Coordinates of all heavy atoms in Angstrom, one line a residue:
A283 N -30.4 35.5 12.5 CA -29.9 35.4 13.9 C -30.8 34.5 14.7 O -30.4 33.6 15.5 CB -29.8 36.8 14.5
L284 N -32.1 34.6 14.4 CA -33.1 33.6 15.1 C -32.8 32.2 14.6 O -33.0 31.3 15.4 CB -34.5 34.0 14.8 CG -35.0 35.3 15.4 CD1 -36.5 35.6 15.0 CD2 -35.0 35.2 16.9
L285 N -32.5 32.0 13.3 CA -32.2 30.7 12.8 C -30.9 30.1 13.5 O -30.9 29.0 13.9 CB -32.0 30.7 11.3 CG -31.6 29.4 10.6 CD1 -32.6 28.3 10.9 CD2 -31.4 29.6 9.1
L286 N -29.9 31.0 13.7 CA -28.7 30.6 14.4 C -29.1 30.2 15.8 O -28.6 29.1 16.3 CB -27.7 31.7 14.5 CG -26.7 31.9 13.4 CD1 -25.9 33.2 13.6 CD2 -25.9 30.7 13.2
L287 N -30.0 30.9 16.5 CA -30.4 30.6 17.8 C -31.1 29.2 17.8 O -30.9 28.4 18.7 CB -31.3 31.7 18.4 CG -31.9 31.4 19.8 CD1 -30.8 31.5 20.8 CD2 -33.0 32.4 20.1
F288 N -32.0 29.0 16.9 CA -32.7 27.8 16.8 C -31.8 26.6 16.6 O -31.9 25.5 17.2 CB -33.8 27.8 15.7 CG -34.5 26.6 15.4 CD1 -35.5 26.1 16.3 CD2 -34.2 25.7 14.3 CE1 -36.2 24.9 16.1 CE2 -34.8 24.6 14.1 CZ -35.8 24.1 15.0
L289 N -30.8 26.8 15.7 CA -29.8 25.7 15.4 C -29.0 25.4 16.7 O -28.8 24.2 17.0 CB -28.9 26.1 14.3 CG -29.6 26.2 12.9 CD1 -28.6 26.9 11.9 CD2 -30.0 24.8 12.4
G290 N -28.6 26.4 17.4 CA -27.9 26.2 18.7 C -28.7 25.4 19.7 O -28.3 24.5 20.4
Y291 N -30.0 25.8 19.8 CA -30.9 25.2 20.7 C -31.2 23.7 20.3 O -31.2 22.8 21.1 CB -32.2 26.0 20.7 CG -33.2 25.6 21.8 CD1 -32.9 26.0 23.1 CD2 -34.4 24.9 21.6 CE1 -33.8 25.7 24.1 CE2 -35.3 24.6 22.6 CZ -35.0 25.0 23.9 OH -35.8 24.7 24.9
T292 N -31.3 23.5 19.0 CA -31.5 22.2 18.4 C -30.3 21.3 18.8 O -30.4 20.1 19.2 CB -31.7 22.2 16.9 OG1 -32.8 23.0 16.6 CG2 -31.9 20.8 16.4
G293 N -29.1 21.9 18.6 CA -27.9 21.1 19.0 C -27.8 20.8 20.4 O -27.4 19.7 20.8
F294 N -28.3 21.7 21.3 CA -28.3 21.4 22.7 C -29.3 20.2 23.0 O -28.9 19.3 23.8 CB -28.8 22.7 23.4 CG -29.1 22.5 24.9 CD1 -28.1 22.2 25.8 CD2 -30.4 22.5 25.3 CE1 -28.4 22.1 27.2 CE2 -30.8 22.3 26.6 CZ -29.8 22.1 27.6
I295 N -30.4 20.2 22.4 CA -31.4 19.2 22.6 C -30.8 17.8 22.1 O -31.0 16.8 22.8 CB -32.8 19.5 21.9 CG1 -33.4 20.7 22.5 CG2 -33.7 18.3 22.0 CD1 -33.8 20.7 23.9
I296 N -30.2 17.8 21.0 CA -29.6 16.6 20.4 C -28.6 16.1 21.4 O -28.5 14.9 21.6 CB -29.0 16.9 19.0 CG1 -30.1 17.1 18.0 CG2 -28.2 15.7 18.6 CD1 -29.6 17.6 16.7
S297 N -27.8 17.0 22.0 CA -26.7 16.6 22.8 C -27.1 15.9 24.1 O -26.5 15.0 24.6 CB -25.8 17.8 23.1 OG -25.2 18.3 22.0
I298 N -28.2 16.3 24.7 CA -28.6 15.8 26.0 C -29.7 14.8 25.9 O -30.0 14.1 26.9 CB -29.0 17.0 27.0 CG1 -30.3 17.6 26.6 CG2 -27.9 18.0 27.1 CD1 -30.9 18.6 27.6
W299 N -30.5 14.7 24.9 CA -31.7 13.8 24.8 C -31.3 12.4 25.0 O -30.3 11.9 24.5 CB -32.3 14.0 23.4 CG -33.6 13.2 23.3 CD1 -33.7 12.0 22.6 CD2 -34.9 13.5 23.8 NE1 -35.0 11.6 22.7 CE2 -35.7 12.5 23.5 CE3 -35.3 14.6 24.6 CZ2 -37.1 12.5 23.9 CZ3 -36.7 14.6 24.9 CH2 -37.5 13.6 24.6
P300 N -32.1 11.6 25.8 CA -33.4 11.9 26.4 C -33.3 12.4 27.8 O -34.3 12.4 28.6 CB -34.1 10.6 26.3 CG -33.1 9.6 26.6 CD -31.8 10.2 25.9
N301 N -32.1 12.8 28.2 CA -31.9 13.3 29.6 C -32.5 14.7 29.7 O -32.4 15.5 28.8 CB -30.4 13.3 30.0 CG -29.8 11.9 29.9 OD1 -30.4 11.0 30.4 ND2 -28.6 11.8 29.4
I302 N -33.1 15.0 30.9 CA -33.5 16.3 31.2 C -32.5 17.0 32.1 O -32.3 18.2 32.1 CB -34.9 16.3 31.9 CG1 -35.4 17.7 32.0 CG2 -34.9 15.6 33.2 CD1 -36.9 17.8 32.3
I303 N -31.7 16.1 32.9 CA -30.6 16.6 33.6 C -29.4 15.7 33.3 O -29.4 14.5 33.7 CB -30.8 16.5 35.2 CG1 -32.0 17.4 35.6 CG2 -29.6 17.0 35.9 CD1 -31.9 18.8 35.4
P304 N -28.5 16.1 32.4 CA -27.3 15.3 32.1 C -26.5 15.0 33.3 O -26.5 15.9 34.3 CB -26.6 16.1 31.0 CG -27.6 17.1 30.6 CD -28.5 17.4 31.7
P305 N -25.8 13.9 33.4 CA -25.7 12.9 32.3 C -26.6 11.7 32.4 O -26.5 10.8 31.5 CB -24.2 12.5 32.5 CG -24.0 12.5 34.0 CD -24.8 13.6 34.5
S306 N -27.5 11.7 33.4 CA -28.2 10.4 33.5 C -29.7 10.4 33.9 O -30.3 9.4 33.9 CB -27.5 9.6 34.7 OG -27.5 10.3 35.9
L307 N -30.2 11.6 34.2 CA -31.6 11.7 34.6 C -32.5 11.9 33.4 O -32.5 13.0 32.8 CB -31.8 12.8 35.6 CG -33.2 12.9 36.3 CD1 -33.5 11.6 37.1 CD2 -33.3 14.1 37.1
T308 N -33.3 10.9 33.0 CA -34.1 11.0 31.8 C -35.5 11.7 32.1 O -35.8 11.8 33.3 CB -34.4 9.6 31.2 OG1 -35.3 8.9 32.1 CG2 -33.1 8.8 31.0
I309 N -36.2 12.1 31.1 CA -37.5 12.7 31.3 C -38.5 11.8 32.0 O -39.3 12.3 32.7 CB -38.1 13.3 30.0 CG1 -38.3 12.1 29.0 CG2 -37.2 14.3 29.4 CD1 -39.1 12.6 27.7
W310 N -38.4 10.5 31.7 CA -39.3 9.6 32.3 C -39.0 9.4 33.8 O -39.9 9.3 34.7 CB -39.3 8.2 31.6 CG -39.7 8.4 30.2 CD1 -41.0 8.5 29.7 CD2 -38.9 8.6 29.0 NE1 -41.0 8.7 28.4 CE2 -39.7 8.7 27.9 CE3 -37.5 8.6 28.8 CZ2 -39.2 8.9 26.6 CZ3 -37.0 8.8 27.5 CH2 -37.9 8.9 26.5
E311 N -37.7 9.3 34.2 CA -37.3 9.2 35.6 C -37.6 10.4 36.4 O -37.8 10.3 37.6 CB -35.8 8.9 35.6 CG -35.4 7.5 35.0 CD -33.9 7.4 34.9 OE1 -33.2 8.4 34.8 OE2 -33.4 6.2 34.9
A312 N -37.6 11.6 35.8 CA -37.9 12.8 36.5 C -39.3 13.2 36.6 O -39.7 14.2 37.2 CB -37.1 13.9 35.8
S313 N -40.2 12.4 36.0 CA -41.6 12.8 35.8 C -42.4 12.8 37.1 O -42.2 11.9 38.0 CB -42.3 11.9 34.7 OG -41.7 12.2 33.5
A314 N -43.4 13.6 37.1 CA -44.5 13.5 38.1 C -45.4 12.4 37.8 O -45.2 11.7 36.7 CB -45.2 14.8 38.2
T315 N -46.4 12.1 38.6 CA -47.3 11.0 38.3 C -48.1 11.4 37.1 O -48.3 12.5 36.7 CB -48.3 10.8 39.5 OG1 -49.0 12.0 39.7 CG2 -47.5 10.5 40.8
H316 N -48.7 10.3 36.5 CA -49.4 10.5 35.2 C -50.6 11.5 35.5 O -50.9 12.3 34.7 CB -50.0 9.1 34.8 CG -50.8 9.2 33.5 ND1 -50.2 9.2 32.2 CD2 -52.1 9.3 33.3 CE1 -51.1 9.3 31.3 NE2 -52.3 9.3 31.9
S317 N -51.3 11.3 36.6 CA -52.5 12.1 36.9 C -52.1 13.6 37.1 O -52.8 14.5 36.6 CB -53.2 11.6 38.1 OG -52.3 11.6 39.3
S318 N -50.9 13.8 37.7 CA -50.5 15.2 37.9 C -50.2 15.9 36.6 O -50.5 17.0 36.3 CB -49.3 15.2 38.8 OG -49.6 14.8 40.1
Q319 N -49.5 15.1 35.7 CA -49.1 15.7 34.4 C -50.3 15.9 33.6 O -50.4 16.9 32.9 CB -48.1 14.8 33.7 CG -46.7 14.8 34.3 CD -45.7 14.1 33.4 OE1 -46.1 13.2 32.5 NE2 -44.5 14.4 33.6
L320 N -51.3 15.0 33.7 CA -52.5 15.2 32.9 C -53.3 16.4 33.4 O -53.9 17.2 32.6 CB -53.4 13.9 33.0 CG -54.7 13.9 32.1 CD1 -54.3 14.0 30.6 CD2 -55.4 12.6 32.4
F321 N -53.4 16.6 34.7 CA -54.2 17.7 35.2 C -53.5 19.0 34.8 O -54.2 20.0 34.4 CB -54.2 17.6 36.8 CG -54.9 18.7 37.5 CD1 -56.2 18.8 37.5 CD2 -54.1 19.8 38.0 CE1 -56.9 19.9 38.2 CE2 -54.7 20.8 38.6 CZ -56.1 20.9 38.7
S322 N -52.2 19.1 34.9 CA -51.5 20.3 34.5 C -51.6 20.6 33.0 O -51.7 21.7 32.6 CB -50.0 20.2 34.9 OG -49.9 20.0 36.3
L323 N -51.7 19.5 32.2 CA -51.8 19.6 30.8 C -53.1 20.3 30.4 O -53.1 21.1 29.4 CB -51.6 18.3 30.1 CG -51.6 18.3 28.6 CD1 -50.4 19.1 28.1 CD2 -51.5 16.8 28.1
V324 N -54.2 20.0 31.1 CA -55.5 20.5 30.7 C -55.4 22.1 30.8 O -55.9 22.8 29.9 CB -56.6 20.0 31.6 CG1 -57.9 20.7 31.4 CG2 -56.8 18.5 31.4
G325 N -54.9 22.6 31.9 CA -54.8 24.0 32.1 C -53.8 24.6 31.1 O -54.1 25.7 30.5
T326 N -52.7 24.0 30.7 CA -51.8 24.5 29.8 C -52.4 24.6 28.4 O -52.1 25.5 27.7 CB -50.5 23.6 29.8 OG1 -50.0 23.5 31.1 CG2 -49.5 24.2 28.8
V327 N -53.1 23.6 28.0 CA -53.8 23.6 26.7 C -54.7 24.8 26.5 O -54.9 25.3 25.5 CB -54.6 22.3 26.5 CG1 -55.5 22.3 25.2 CG2 -53.6 21.1 26.3
I328 N -55.3 25.2 27.6 CA -56.2 26.4 27.6 C -55.4 27.7 27.6 O -55.7 28.6 26.8 CB -57.2 26.4 28.8 CG1 -58.1 25.1 28.7 CG2 -58.0 27.6 28.9 CD1 -58.9 24.9 30.0
I329 N -54.4 27.8 28.5 CA -53.7 29.0 28.7 C -52.7 29.3 27.6 O -52.5 30.5 27.2 CB -53.0 29.0 30.1 CG1 -54.0 29.0 31.2 CG2 -52.1 30.2 30.2 CD1 -55.0 30.1 31.2
L330 N -51.9 28.3 27.1 CA -50.8 28.5 26.2 C -51.3 29.2 24.9 O -50.6 30.2 24.5 CB -50.1 27.2 25.9 CG -48.9 27.3 25.0 CD1 -47.9 28.3 25.5 CD2 -48.3 25.9 24.8
P331 N -52.4 28.8 24.3 CA -52.8 29.5 23.1 C -53.2 31.0 23.3 O -52.9 31.8 22.5 CB -54.1 28.8 22.6 CG -53.9 27.4 23.2 CD -53.2 27.6 24.5

Side-chain angles (χ1 to χ4, degrees):
L284 290 179
L285 178 58
L286 272 177
L287 180 68
F288 176 75
L289 292 170
Y291 193 73
T292 301
F294 169 72
I295 297 297
I296 291 171
S297 297
I298 70 170
W299 183 259
N301 297 318
I302 191 168
I303 304 291
S306 58
L307 186 65
T308 69
I309 60 171
W310 297 280
E311 293 170 335
S313 292
T315 62
H316 182 86
S317 58
S318 295
Q319 288 191 339
L320 185 60
F321 177 79
S322 301
L323 184 61
V324 172
T326 303
V327 167
I328 297 171
I329 296 298
L330 183 56

